[in-house]
mmCIF file with all atom_site columns, all heavy atoms in Angstrom:
data_model
loop_
_atom_site.group_PDB
_atom_site.id
_atom_site.type_symbol
_atom_site.label_atom_id
_atom_site.label_alt_id
_atom_site.label_comp_id
_atom_site.label_asym_id
_atom_site.label_entity_id
_atom_site.label_seq_id
_atom_site.pdbx_PDB_ins_code
_atom_site.Cartn_x
_atom_site.Cartn_y
_atom_site.Cartn_z
_atom_site.occupancy
_atom_site.B_iso_or_equiv
_atom_site.pdbx_formal_charge
_atom_site.auth_seq_id
_atom_site.auth_comp_id
_atom_site.auth_asym_id
_atom_site.auth_atom_id
_atom_site.pdbx_PDB_model_num
ATOM 1   N N   . LYS A 1 1  ? 95.481  104.488 91.823  1.00 32.00 ? 3  LYS A N   1
ATOM 2   C CA  . LYS A 1 1  ? 95.249  103.138 92.307  1.00 32.00 ? 3  LYS A CA  1
ATOM 3   C C   . LYS A 1 1  ? 94.263  103.189 93.471  1.00 32.00 ? 3  LYS A C   1
ATOM 4   O O   . LYS A 1 1  ? 94.208  104.153 94.210  1.00 32.00 ? 3  LYS A O   1
ATOM 5   C CB  . LYS A 1 1  ? 96.561  102.507 92.770  1.00 32.00 ? 3  LYS A CB  1
ATOM 6   C CG  . LYS A 1 1  ? 97.586  102.350 91.656  1.00 32.00 ? 3  LYS A CG  1
ATOM 7   C CD  . LYS A 1 1  ? 98.849  101.718 92.195  1.00 32.00 ? 3  LYS A CD  1
ATOM 8   C CE  . LYS A 1 1  ? 99.892  101.563 91.096  1.00 32.00 ? 3  LYS A CE  1
ATOM 9   N NZ  . LYS A 1 1  ? 101.137 100.966 91.597  1.00 32.00 ? 3  LYS A NZ  1
ATOM 10  N N   . ILE A 1 2  ? 93.506  102.163 93.616  1.00 34.00 ? 4  ILE A N   1
ATOM 11  C CA  . ILE A 1 2  ? 92.587  102.038 94.741  1.00 34.00 ? 4  ILE A CA  1
ATOM 12  C C   . ILE A 1 2  ? 93.066  100.862 95.563  1.00 34.00 ? 4  ILE A C   1
ATOM 13  O O   . ILE A 1 2  ? 93.153  99.745  95.067  1.00 34.00 ? 4  ILE A O   1
ATOM 14  C CB  . ILE A 1 2  ? 91.148  101.809 94.272  1.00 34.00 ? 4  ILE A CB  1
ATOM 15  C CG1 . ILE A 1 2  ? 90.702  102.949 93.349  1.00 34.00 ? 4  ILE A CG1 1
ATOM 16  C CG2 . ILE A 1 2  ? 90.203  101.704 95.456  1.00 34.00 ? 4  ILE A CG2 1
ATOM 17  C CD1 . ILE A 1 2  ? 89.387  102.678 92.672  1.00 34.00 ? 4  ILE A CD1 1
ATOM 18  N N   . SER A 1 3  ? 93.395  101.135 96.814  1.00 34.00 ? 5  SER A N   1
ATOM 19  C CA  . SER A 1 3  ? 93.937  100.081 97.669  1.00 34.00 ? 5  SER A CA  1
ATOM 20  C C   . SER A 1 3  ? 92.947  99.738  98.757  1.00 34.00 ? 5  SER A C   1
ATOM 21  O O   . SER A 1 3  ? 92.353  100.621 99.365  1.00 34.00 ? 5  SER A O   1
ATOM 22  C CB  . SER A 1 3  ? 95.250  100.540 98.298  1.00 34.00 ? 5  SER A CB  1
ATOM 23  O OG  . SER A 1 3  ? 95.692  99.604  99.248  1.00 34.00 ? 5  SER A OG  1
ATOM 24  N N   . TRP A 1 4  ? 92.736  98.463  99.005  1.00 36.00 ? 6  TRP A N   1
ATOM 25  C CA  . TRP A 1 4  ? 91.954  98.073  100.159 1.00 36.00 ? 6  TRP A CA  1
ATOM 26  C C   . TRP A 1 4  ? 92.518  96.780  100.722 1.00 36.00 ? 6  TRP A C   1
ATOM 27  O O   . TRP A 1 4  ? 92.986  95.923  100.007 1.00 36.00 ? 6  TRP A O   1
ATOM 28  C CB  . TRP A 1 4  ? 90.468  97.943  99.842  1.00 36.00 ? 6  TRP A CB  1
ATOM 29  C CG  . TRP A 1 4  ? 90.097  96.855  98.888  1.00 36.00 ? 6  TRP A CG  1
ATOM 30  C CD1 . TRP A 1 4  ? 89.723  95.583  99.185  1.00 36.00 ? 6  TRP A CD1 1
ATOM 31  C CD2 . TRP A 1 4  ? 90.064  96.960  97.460  1.00 36.00 ? 6  TRP A CD2 1
ATOM 32  N NE1 . TRP A 1 4  ? 89.449  94.890  98.041  1.00 36.00 ? 6  TRP A NE1 1
ATOM 33  C CE2 . TRP A 1 4  ? 89.645  95.706  96.978  1.00 36.00 ? 6  TRP A CE2 1
ATOM 34  C CE3 . TRP A 1 4  ? 90.331  97.986  96.558  1.00 36.00 ? 6  TRP A CE3 1
ATOM 35  C CZ2 . TRP A 1 4  ? 89.497  95.464  95.625  1.00 36.00 ? 6  TRP A CZ2 1
ATOM 36  C CZ3 . TRP A 1 4  ? 90.184  97.742  95.226  1.00 36.00 ? 6  TRP A CZ3 1
ATOM 37  C CH2 . TRP A 1 4  ? 89.774  96.495  94.771  1.00 36.00 ? 6  TRP A CH2 1
ATOM 38  N N   . LEU A 1 5  ? 92.499  96.702  102.030 1.00 31.00 ? 7  LEU A N   1
ATOM 39  C CA  . LEU A 1 5  ? 92.981  95.499  102.707 1.00 31.00 ? 7  LEU A CA  1
ATOM 40  C C   . LEU A 1 5  ? 91.921  95.074  103.701 1.00 31.00 ? 7  LEU A C   1
ATOM 41  O O   . LEU A 1 5  ? 91.482  95.862  104.516 1.00 31.00 ? 7  LEU A O   1
ATOM 42  C CB  . LEU A 1 5  ? 94.291  95.783  103.449 1.00 31.00 ? 7  LEU A CB  1
ATOM 43  C CG  . LEU A 1 5  ? 94.909  94.582  104.160 1.00 31.00 ? 7  LEU A CG  1
ATOM 44  C CD1 . LEU A 1 5  ? 95.426  93.573  103.152 1.00 31.00 ? 7  LEU A CD1 1
ATOM 45  C CD2 . LEU A 1 5  ? 96.029  95.022  105.076 1.00 31.00 ? 7  LEU A CD2 1
ATOM 46  N N   . TRP A 1 6  ? 91.482  93.840  103.603 1.00 29.00 ? 8  TRP A N   1
ATOM 47  C CA  . TRP A 1 6  ? 90.442  93.346  104.496 1.00 29.00 ? 8  TRP A CA  1
ATOM 48  C C   . TRP A 1 6  ? 91.072  92.797  105.771 1.00 29.00 ? 8  TRP A C   1
ATOM 49  O O   . TRP A 1 6  ? 91.883  91.898  105.734 1.00 29.00 ? 8  TRP A O   1
ATOM 50  C CB  . TRP A 1 6  ? 89.663  92.233  103.816 1.00 29.00 ? 8  TRP A CB  1
ATOM 51  C CG  . TRP A 1 6  ? 88.864  92.688  102.646 1.00 29.00 ? 8  TRP A CG  1
ATOM 52  C CD1 . TRP A 1 6  ? 89.332  93.130  101.445 1.00 29.00 ? 8  TRP A CD1 1
ATOM 53  C CD2 . TRP A 1 6  ? 87.448  92.748  102.567 1.00 29.00 ? 8  TRP A CD2 1
ATOM 54  N NE1 . TRP A 1 6  ? 88.308  93.458  100.618 1.00 29.00 ? 8  TRP A NE1 1
ATOM 55  C CE2 . TRP A 1 6  ? 87.128  93.224  101.280 1.00 29.00 ? 8  TRP A CE2 1
ATOM 56  C CE3 . TRP A 1 6  ? 86.417  92.441  103.450 1.00 29.00 ? 8  TRP A CE3 1
ATOM 57  C CZ2 . TRP A 1 6  ? 85.825  93.409  100.868 1.00 29.00 ? 8  TRP A CZ2 1
ATOM 58  C CZ3 . TRP A 1 6  ? 85.113  92.613  103.016 1.00 29.00 ? 8  TRP A CZ3 1
ATOM 59  C CH2 . TRP A 1 6  ? 84.824  93.096  101.749 1.00 29.00 ? 8  TRP A CH2 1
ATOM 60  N N   . LYS A 1 7  ? 90.681  93.373  106.887 1.00 28.00 ? 9  LYS A N   1
ATOM 61  C CA  . LYS A 1 7  ? 91.061  92.796  108.168 1.00 28.00 ? 9  LYS A CA  1
ATOM 62  C C   . LYS A 1 7  ? 90.094  91.654  108.496 1.00 28.00 ? 9  LYS A C   1
ATOM 63  O O   . LYS A 1 7  ? 90.474  90.555  108.831 1.00 28.00 ? 9  LYS A O   1
ATOM 64  C CB  . LYS A 1 7  ? 91.008  93.858  109.263 1.00 28.00 ? 9  LYS A CB  1
ATOM 65  C CG  . LYS A 1 7  ? 91.279  93.338  110.661 1.00 28.00 ? 9  LYS A CG  1
ATOM 66  C CD  . LYS A 1 7  ? 92.693  92.862  110.819 1.00 28.00 ? 9  LYS A CD  1
ATOM 67  C CE  . LYS A 1 7  ? 92.962  92.531  112.284 1.00 28.00 ? 9  LYS A CE  1
ATOM 68  N NZ  . LYS A 1 7  ? 94.300  92.025  112.476 1.00 28.00 ? 9  LYS A NZ  1
ATOM 69  N N   . THR A 1 8  ? 88.811  91.937  108.406 1.00 27.00 ? 10 THR A N   1
ATOM 70  C CA  . THR A 1 8  ? 87.760  90.926  108.418 1.00 27.00 ? 10 THR A CA  1
ATOM 71  C C   . THR A 1 8  ? 86.790  91.357  107.334 1.00 27.00 ? 10 THR A C   1
ATOM 72  O O   . THR A 1 8  ? 86.932  92.410  106.738 1.00 27.00 ? 10 THR A O   1
ATOM 73  C CB  . THR A 1 8  ? 87.016  90.880  109.772 1.00 27.00 ? 10 THR A CB  1
ATOM 74  O OG1 . THR A 1 8  ? 86.224  92.062  109.894 1.00 27.00 ? 10 THR A OG1 1
ATOM 75  C CG2 . THR A 1 8  ? 87.983  90.815  110.935 1.00 27.00 ? 10 THR A CG2 1
ATOM 76  N N   . ARG A 1 9  ? 85.787  90.588  107.085 1.00 27.00 ? 11 ARG A N   1
ATOM 77  C CA  . ARG A 1 9  ? 84.823  90.982  106.057 1.00 27.00 ? 11 ARG A CA  1
ATOM 78  C C   . ARG A 1 9  ? 84.026  92.202  106.490 1.00 27.00 ? 11 ARG A C   1
ATOM 79  O O   . ARG A 1 9  ? 83.296  92.798  105.703 1.00 27.00 ? 11 ARG A O   1
ATOM 80  C CB  . ARG A 1 9  ? 83.868  89.822  105.733 1.00 27.00 ? 11 ARG A CB  1
ATOM 81  C CG  . ARG A 1 9  ? 82.945  89.421  106.864 1.00 27.00 ? 11 ARG A CG  1
ATOM 82  C CD  . ARG A 1 9  ? 82.146  88.194  106.461 1.00 27.00 ? 11 ARG A CD  1
ATOM 83  N NE  . ARG A 1 9  ? 81.261  88.493  105.338 1.00 27.00 ? 11 ARG A NE  1
ATOM 84  C CZ  . ARG A 1 9  ? 79.951  88.600  105.462 1.00 27.00 ? 11 ARG A CZ  1
ATOM 85  N NH1 . ARG A 1 9  ? 79.389  88.454  106.644 1.00 27.00 ? 11 ARG A NH1 1
ATOM 86  N NH2 . ARG A 1 9  ? 79.201  88.855  104.407 1.00 27.00 ? 11 ARG A NH2 1
ATOM 87  N N   . PHE A 1 10 ? 84.172  92.614  107.753 1.00 32.00 ? 12 PHE A N   1
ATOM 88  C CA  . PHE A 1 10 ? 83.410  93.745  108.256 1.00 32.00 ? 12 PHE A CA  1
ATOM 89  C C   . PHE A 1 10 ? 84.209  95.041  108.243 1.00 32.00 ? 12 PHE A C   1
ATOM 90  O O   . PHE A 1 10 ? 83.710  96.077  108.630 1.00 32.00 ? 12 PHE A O   1
ATOM 91  C CB  . PHE A 1 10 ? 82.948  93.484  109.695 1.00 32.00 ? 12 PHE A CB  1
ATOM 92  C CG  . PHE A 1 10 ? 82.000  92.342  109.813 1.00 32.00 ? 12 PHE A CG  1
ATOM 93  C CD1 . PHE A 1 10 ? 82.267  91.294  110.675 1.00 32.00 ? 12 PHE A CD1 1
ATOM 94  C CD2 . PHE A 1 10 ? 80.839  92.305  109.060 1.00 32.00 ? 12 PHE A CD2 1
ATOM 95  C CE1 . PHE A 1 10 ? 81.388  90.233  110.773 1.00 32.00 ? 12 PHE A CE1 1
ATOM 96  C CE2 . PHE A 1 10 ? 79.967  91.249  109.167 1.00 32.00 ? 12 PHE A CE2 1
ATOM 97  C CZ  . PHE A 1 10 ? 80.238  90.202  110.019 1.00 32.00 ? 12 PHE A CZ  1
ATOM 98  N N   . LEU A 1 11 ? 85.454  95.007  107.822 1.00 34.00 ? 13 LEU A N   1
ATOM 99  C CA  . LEU A 1 11 ? 86.292  96.203  107.941 1.00 34.00 ? 13 LEU A CA  1
ATOM 100 C C   . LEU A 1 11 ? 87.015  96.440  106.629 1.00 34.00 ? 13 LEU A C   1
ATOM 101 O O   . LEU A 1 11 ? 87.904  95.701  106.242 1.00 34.00 ? 13 LEU A O   1
ATOM 102 C CB  . LEU A 1 11 ? 87.307  96.018  109.077 1.00 34.00 ? 13 LEU A CB  1
ATOM 103 C CG  . LEU A 1 11 ? 88.170  97.222  109.411 1.00 34.00 ? 13 LEU A CG  1
ATOM 104 C CD1 . LEU A 1 11 ? 87.307  98.434  109.725 1.00 34.00 ? 13 LEU A CD1 1
ATOM 105 C CD2 . LEU A 1 11 ? 89.072  96.931  110.593 1.00 34.00 ? 13 LEU A CD2 1
ATOM 106 N N   . ARG A 1 12 ? 86.619  97.499  105.907 1.00 40.00 ? 14 ARG A N   1
ATOM 107 C CA  . ARG A 1 12 ? 87.203  97.819  104.616 1.00 40.00 ? 14 ARG A CA  1
ATOM 108 C C   . ARG A 1 12 ? 87.654  99.259  104.626 1.00 40.00 ? 14 ARG A C   1
ATOM 109 O O   . ARG A 1 12 ? 87.003  100.109 105.204 1.00 40.00 ? 14 ARG A O   1
ATOM 110 C CB  . ARG A 1 12 ? 86.177  97.635  103.493 1.00 40.00 ? 14 ARG A CB  1
ATOM 111 C CG  . ARG A 1 12 ? 85.630  96.235  103.365 1.00 40.00 ? 14 ARG A CG  1
ATOM 112 C CD  . ARG A 1 12 ? 84.523  96.217  102.333 1.00 40.00 ? 14 ARG A CD  1
ATOM 113 N NE  . ARG A 1 12 ? 83.339  96.887  102.860 1.00 40.00 ? 14 ARG A NE  1
ATOM 114 C CZ  . ARG A 1 12 ? 82.342  97.323  102.084 1.00 40.00 ? 14 ARG A CZ  1
ATOM 115 N NH1 . ARG A 1 12 ? 82.424  97.203  100.786 1.00 40.00 ? 14 ARG A NH1 1
ATOM 116 N NH2 . ARG A 1 12 ? 81.288  97.894  102.626 1.00 40.00 ? 14 ARG A NH2 1
ATOM 117 N N   . THR A 1 13 ? 88.742  99.541  103.946 1.00 40.00 ? 15 THR A N   1
ATOM 118 C CA  . THR A 1 13 ? 89.149  100.924 103.755 1.00 40.00 ? 15 THR A CA  1
ATOM 119 C C   . THR A 1 13 ? 89.672  101.085 102.343 1.00 40.00 ? 15 THR A C   1
ATOM 120 O O   . THR A 1 13 ? 90.484  100.290 101.888 1.00 40.00 ? 15 THR A O   1
ATOM 121 C CB  . THR A 1 13 ? 90.247  101.347 104.757 1.00 40.00 ? 15 THR A CB  1
ATOM 122 O OG1 . THR A 1 13 ? 89.684  101.345 106.057 1.00 40.00 ? 15 THR A OG1 1
ATOM 123 C CG2 . THR A 1 13 ? 90.744  102.750 104.453 1.00 40.00 ? 15 THR A CG2 1
ATOM 124 N N   . HIS A 1 14 ? 89.215  102.098 101.666 1.00 40.00 ? 16 HIS A N   1
ATOM 125 C CA  . HIS A 1 14 ? 89.695  102.412 100.334 1.00 40.00 ? 16 HIS A CA  1
ATOM 126 C C   . HIS A 1 14 ? 90.441  103.733 100.369 1.00 40.00 ? 16 HIS A C   1
ATOM 127 O O   . HIS A 1 14 ? 90.014  104.667 101.038 1.00 40.00 ? 16 HIS A O   1
ATOM 128 C CB  . HIS A 1 14 ? 88.527  102.552 99.344  1.00 40.00 ? 16 HIS A CB  1
ATOM 129 C CG  . HIS A 1 14 ? 87.690  101.325 99.221  1.00 40.00 ? 16 HIS A CG  1
ATOM 130 N ND1 . HIS A 1 14 ? 88.068  100.226 98.491  1.00 40.00 ? 16 HIS A ND1 1
ATOM 131 C CD2 . HIS A 1 14 ? 86.484  101.023 99.755  1.00 40.00 ? 16 HIS A CD2 1
ATOM 132 C CE1 . HIS A 1 14 ? 87.122  99.305  98.573  1.00 40.00 ? 16 HIS A CE1 1
ATOM 133 N NE2 . HIS A 1 14 ? 86.163  99.760  99.325  1.00 40.00 ? 16 HIS A NE2 1
ATOM 134 N N   . LEU A 1 15 ? 91.532  103.808 99.657  1.00 40.00 ? 17 LEU A N   1
ATOM 135 C CA  . LEU A 1 15 ? 92.210  105.080 99.433  1.00 40.00 ? 17 LEU A CA  1
ATOM 136 C C   . LEU A 1 15 ? 92.033  105.429 97.965  1.00 40.00 ? 17 LEU A C   1
ATOM 137 O O   . LEU A 1 15 ? 92.418  104.655 97.094  1.00 40.00 ? 17 LEU A O   1
ATOM 138 C CB  . LEU A 1 15 ? 93.696  104.981 99.782  1.00 40.00 ? 17 LEU A CB  1
ATOM 139 C CG  . LEU A 1 15 ? 94.497  106.247 99.452  1.00 40.00 ? 17 LEU A CG  1
ATOM 140 C CD1 . LEU A 1 15 ? 94.047  107.391 100.333 1.00 40.00 ? 17 LEU A CD1 1
ATOM 141 C CD2 . LEU A 1 15 ? 95.971  106.000 99.622  1.00 40.00 ? 17 LEU A CD2 1
ATOM 142 N N   . PHE A 1 16 ? 91.449  106.569 97.701  1.00 37.00 ? 18 PHE A N   1
ATOM 143 C CA  . PHE A 1 16 ? 91.121  106.972 96.336  1.00 37.00 ? 18 PHE A CA  1
ATOM 144 C C   . PHE A 1 16 ? 91.844  108.275 96.090  1.00 37.00 ? 18 PHE A C   1
ATOM 145 O O   . PHE A 1 16 ? 91.324  109.347 96.329  1.00 37.00 ? 18 PHE A O   1
ATOM 146 C CB  . PHE A 1 16 ? 89.611  107.146 96.240  1.00 37.00 ? 18 PHE A CB  1
ATOM 147 C CG  . PHE A 1 16 ? 89.055  107.027 94.846  1.00 37.00 ? 18 PHE A CG  1
ATOM 148 C CD1 . PHE A 1 16 ? 89.380  105.936 94.051  1.00 37.00 ? 18 PHE A CD1 1
ATOM 149 C CD2 . PHE A 1 16 ? 88.189  107.979 94.348  1.00 37.00 ? 18 PHE A CD2 1
ATOM 150 C CE1 . PHE A 1 16 ? 88.839  105.811 92.787  1.00 37.00 ? 18 PHE A CE1 1
ATOM 151 C CE2 . PHE A 1 16 ? 87.666  107.857 93.089  1.00 37.00 ? 18 PHE A CE2 1
ATOM 152 C CZ  . PHE A 1 16 ? 87.984  106.780 92.303  1.00 37.00 ? 18 PHE A CZ  1
ATOM 153 N N   . ASN A 1 17 ? 93.110  108.190 95.665  1.00 35.00 ? 19 ASN A N   1
ATOM 154 C CA  . ASN A 1 17 ? 93.949  109.375 95.683  1.00 35.00 ? 19 ASN A CA  1
ATOM 155 C C   . ASN A 1 17 ? 94.940  109.306 94.529  1.00 35.00 ? 19 ASN A C   1
ATOM 156 O O   . ASN A 1 17 ? 95.170  108.251 93.952  1.00 35.00 ? 19 ASN A O   1
ATOM 157 C CB  . ASN A 1 17 ? 94.708  109.436 97.027  1.00 35.00 ? 19 ASN A CB  1
ATOM 158 C CG  . ASN A 1 17 ? 95.128  110.834 97.386  1.00 35.00 ? 19 ASN A CG  1
ATOM 159 O OD1 . ASN A 1 17 ? 95.168  111.702 96.523  1.00 35.00 ? 19 ASN A OD1 1
ATOM 160 N ND2 . ASN A 1 17 ? 95.436  111.048 98.639  1.00 35.00 ? 19 ASN A ND2 1
ATOM 161 N N   . LYS A 1 18 ? 95.539  110.442 94.200  1.00 32.00 ? 20 LYS A N   1
ATOM 162 C CA  . LYS A 1 18 ? 96.546  110.475 93.149  1.00 32.00 ? 20 LYS A CA  1
ATOM 163 C C   . LYS A 1 18 ? 97.776  109.664 93.537  1.00 32.00 ? 20 LYS A C   1
ATOM 164 O O   . LYS A 1 18 ? 98.410  109.026 92.722  1.00 32.00 ? 20 LYS A O   1
ATOM 165 C CB  . LYS A 1 18 ? 96.960  111.922 92.873  1.00 32.00 ? 20 LYS A CB  1
ATOM 166 C CG  . LYS A 1 18 ? 95.859  112.784 92.269  1.00 32.00 ? 20 LYS A CG  1
ATOM 167 C CD  . LYS A 1 18 ? 96.361  114.203 92.100  1.00 32.00 ? 20 LYS A CD  1
ATOM 168 C CE  . LYS A 1 18 ? 95.276  115.132 91.595  1.00 32.00 ? 20 LYS A CE  1
ATOM 169 N NZ  . LYS A 1 18 ? 95.724  116.518 91.501  1.00 32.00 ? 20 LYS A NZ  1
ATOM 170 N N   . GLN A 1 19 ? 98.118  109.735 94.821  1.00 33.00 ? 21 GLN A N   1
ATOM 171 C CA  . GLN A 1 19 ? 99.319  109.046 95.284  1.00 33.00 ? 21 GLN A CA  1
ATOM 172 C C   . GLN A 1 19 ? 98.913  107.787 96.035  1.00 33.00 ? 21 GLN A C   1
ATOM 173 O O   . GLN A 1 19 ? 98.083  107.816 96.933  1.00 33.00 ? 21 GLN A O   1
ATOM 174 C CB  . GLN A 1 19 ? 100.138 109.960 96.198  1.00 33.00 ? 21 GLN A CB  1
ATOM 175 C CG  . GLN A 1 19 ? 100.720 111.159 95.464  1.00 33.00 ? 21 GLN A CG  1
ATOM 176 C CD  . GLN A 1 19 ? 101.601 111.964 96.375  1.00 33.00 ? 21 GLN A CD  1
ATOM 177 O OE1 . GLN A 1 19 ? 101.498 111.885 97.577  1.00 33.00 ? 21 GLN A OE1 1
ATOM 178 N NE2 . GLN A 1 19 ? 102.480 112.756 95.784  1.00 33.00 ? 21 GLN A NE2 1
ATOM 179 N N   . PHE A 1 20 ? 99.520  106.685 95.654  1.00 30.00 ? 22 PHE A N   1
ATOM 180 C CA  . PHE A 1 20 ? 99.166  105.395 96.234  1.00 30.00 ? 22 PHE A CA  1
ATOM 181 C C   . PHE A 1 20 ? 99.725  105.270 97.650  1.00 30.00 ? 22 PHE A C   1
ATOM 182 O O   . PHE A 1 20 ? 100.873 105.592 97.914  1.00 30.00 ? 22 PHE A O   1
ATOM 183 C CB  . PHE A 1 20 ? 99.710  104.288 95.347  1.00 30.00 ? 22 PHE A CB  1
ATOM 184 C CG  . PHE A 1 20 ? 99.445  102.907 95.863  1.00 30.00 ? 22 PHE A CG  1
ATOM 185 C CD1 . PHE A 1 20 ? 98.158  102.425 95.920  1.00 30.00 ? 22 PHE A CD1 1
ATOM 186 C CD2 . PHE A 1 20 ? 100.480 102.096 96.273  1.00 30.00 ? 22 PHE A CD2 1
ATOM 187 C CE1 . PHE A 1 20 ? 97.903  101.143 96.381  1.00 30.00 ? 22 PHE A CE1 1
ATOM 188 C CE2 . PHE A 1 20 ? 100.228 100.817 96.736  1.00 30.00 ? 22 PHE A CE2 1
ATOM 189 C CZ  . PHE A 1 20 ? 98.942  100.348 96.776  1.00 30.00 ? 22 PHE A CZ  1
ATOM 190 N N   . PHE A 1 21 ? 98.894  104.820 98.571  1.00 34.00 ? 23 PHE A N   1
ATOM 191 C CA  . PHE A 1 21 ? 99.350  104.583 99.943  1.00 34.00 ? 23 PHE A CA  1
ATOM 192 C C   . PHE A 1 21 ? 98.719  103.299 100.437 1.00 34.00 ? 23 PHE A C   1
ATOM 193 O O   . PHE A 1 21 ? 97.510  103.176 100.516 1.00 34.00 ? 23 PHE A O   1
ATOM 194 C CB  . PHE A 1 21 ? 98.916  105.753 100.853 1.00 34.00 ? 23 PHE A CB  1
ATOM 195 C CG  . PHE A 1 21 ? 99.178  105.506 102.306 1.00 34.00 ? 23 PHE A CG  1
ATOM 196 C CD1 . PHE A 1 21 ? 100.477 105.335 102.789 1.00 34.00 ? 23 PHE A CD1 1
ATOM 197 C CD2 . PHE A 1 21 ? 98.128  105.439 103.201 1.00 34.00 ? 23 PHE A CD2 1
ATOM 198 C CE1 . PHE A 1 21 ? 100.701 105.124 104.124 1.00 34.00 ? 23 PHE A CE1 1
ATOM 199 C CE2 . PHE A 1 21 ? 98.344  105.212 104.551 1.00 34.00 ? 23 PHE A CE2 1
ATOM 200 C CZ  . PHE A 1 21 ? 99.633  105.054 105.010 1.00 34.00 ? 23 PHE A CZ  1
ATOM 201 N N   . ASP A 1 22 ? 99.532  102.290 100.693 1.00 35.00 ? 24 ASP A N   1
ATOM 202 C CA  . ASP A 1 22 ? 99.007  101.030 101.169 1.00 35.00 ? 24 ASP A CA  1
ATOM 203 C C   . ASP A 1 22 ? 98.372  101.210 102.531 1.00 35.00 ? 24 ASP A C   1
ATOM 204 O O   . ASP A 1 22 ? 98.974  101.781 103.442 1.00 35.00 ? 24 ASP A O   1
ATOM 205 C CB  . ASP A 1 22 ? 100.132 99.989  101.291 1.00 35.00 ? 24 ASP A CB  1
ATOM 206 C CG  . ASP A 1 22 ? 100.508 99.402  99.951  1.00 35.00 ? 24 ASP A CG  1
ATOM 207 O OD1 . ASP A 1 22 ? 99.595  99.128  99.173  1.00 35.00 ? 24 ASP A OD1 1
ATOM 208 O OD2 . ASP A 1 22 ? 101.708 99.252  99.681  1.00 35.00 ? 24 ASP A OD2 1
ATOM 209 N N   . VAL A 1 23 ? 97.157  100.720 102.687 1.00 37.00 ? 25 VAL A N   1
ATOM 210 C CA  . VAL A 1 23 ? 96.428  100.837 103.926 1.00 37.00 ? 25 VAL A CA  1
ATOM 211 C C   . VAL A 1 23 ? 96.553  99.519  104.677 1.00 37.00 ? 25 VAL A C   1
ATOM 212 O O   . VAL A 1 23 ? 96.155  98.478  104.166 1.00 37.00 ? 25 VAL A O   1
ATOM 213 C CB  . VAL A 1 23 ? 94.947  101.171 103.670 1.00 37.00 ? 25 VAL A CB  1
ATOM 214 C CG1 . VAL A 1 23 ? 94.193  101.294 104.969 1.00 37.00 ? 25 VAL A CG1 1
ATOM 215 C CG2 . VAL A 1 23 ? 94.850  102.465 102.881 1.00 37.00 ? 25 VAL A CG2 1
ATOM 216 N N   . HIS A 1 24 ? 97.098  99.562  105.853 1.00 34.00 ? 26 HIS A N   1
ATOM 217 C CA  . HIS A 1 24 ? 97.231  98.364  106.686 1.00 34.00 ? 26 HIS A CA  1
ATOM 218 C C   . HIS A 1 24 ? 96.608  98.634  108.037 1.00 34.00 ? 26 HIS A C   1
ATOM 219 O O   . HIS A 1 24 ? 96.451  99.768  108.447 1.00 34.00 ? 26 HIS A O   1
ATOM 220 C CB  . HIS A 1 24 ? 98.709  97.993  106.867 1.00 34.00 ? 26 HIS A CB  1
ATOM 221 C CG  . HIS A 1 24 ? 99.421  97.715  105.591 1.00 34.00 ? 26 HIS A CG  1
ATOM 222 N ND1 . HIS A 1 24 ? 99.286  96.538  104.879 1.00 34.00 ? 26 HIS A ND1 1
ATOM 223 C CD2 . HIS A 1 24 ? 100.279 98.490  104.870 1.00 34.00 ? 26 HIS A CD2 1
ATOM 224 C CE1 . HIS A 1 24 ? 100.017 96.596  103.798 1.00 34.00 ? 26 HIS A CE1 1
ATOM 225 N NE2 . HIS A 1 24 ? 100.620 97.768  103.763 1.00 34.00 ? 26 HIS A NE2 1
ATOM 226 N N   . PHE A 1 25 ? 96.283  97.588  108.734 1.00 31.00 ? 27 PHE A N   1
ATOM 227 C CA  . PHE A 1 25 ? 95.650  97.723  110.033 1.00 31.00 ? 27 PHE A CA  1
ATOM 228 C C   . PHE A 1 25 ? 96.468  96.987  111.080 1.00 31.00 ? 27 PHE A C   1
ATOM 229 O O   . PHE A 1 25 ? 97.005  95.922  110.820 1.00 31.00 ? 27 PHE A O   1
ATOM 230 C CB  . PHE A 1 25 ? 94.228  97.151  110.021 1.00 31.00 ? 27 PHE A CB  1
ATOM 231 C CG  . PHE A 1 25 ? 93.289  97.953  109.197 1.00 31.00 ? 27 PHE A CG  1
ATOM 232 C CD1 . PHE A 1 25 ? 93.130  97.688  107.850 1.00 31.00 ? 27 PHE A CD1 1
ATOM 233 C CD2 . PHE A 1 25 ? 92.589  98.986  109.752 1.00 31.00 ? 27 PHE A CD2 1
ATOM 234 C CE1 . PHE A 1 25 ? 92.276  98.430  107.094 1.00 31.00 ? 27 PHE A CE1 1
ATOM 235 C CE2 . PHE A 1 25 ? 91.725  99.733  109.015 1.00 31.00 ? 27 PHE A CE2 1
ATOM 236 C CZ  . PHE A 1 25 ? 91.561  99.459  107.654 1.00 31.00 ? 27 PHE A CZ  1
ATOM 237 N N   . PRO A 1 26 ? 96.519  97.569  112.274 1.00 31.00 ? 28 PRO A N   1
ATOM 238 C CA  . PRO A 1 26 ? 97.211  96.880  113.362 1.00 31.00 ? 28 PRO A CA  1
ATOM 239 C C   . PRO A 1 26 ? 96.423  95.659  113.820 1.00 31.00 ? 28 PRO A C   1
ATOM 240 O O   . PRO A 1 26 ? 95.227  95.580  113.610 1.00 31.00 ? 28 PRO A O   1
ATOM 241 C CB  . PRO A 1 26 ? 97.261  97.927  114.485 1.00 31.00 ? 28 PRO A CB  1
ATOM 242 C CG  . PRO A 1 26 ? 96.122  98.850  114.198 1.00 31.00 ? 28 PRO A CG  1
ATOM 243 C CD  . PRO A 1 26 ? 96.003  98.884  112.698 1.00 31.00 ? 28 PRO A CD  1
#
């Protein structure tokens, strides 16, 4: 799975891995 969470349109993070890990931002 590829997970990304937008904090703003300027901040993206993708996790590209065998094991899914939700990416969240403080």
Side-chain angles (χ1 to χ4, degrees):
K3 297 180 180 179
I4 303 171
S5 173
W6 65 93
L7 182 69
W8 293 69
K9 175 67 172 178
T10 71
R11 66 185 296 252
F12 296 125
L13 185 55
R14 300 174 288 163
T15 293
H16 301 282
L17 175 66
F18 203 51
N19 204 342
K20 293 177 184 177
Q21 294 184 339
F22 178 67
F23 172 63
D24 282 319
V25 180
H26 300 283
F27 291 89

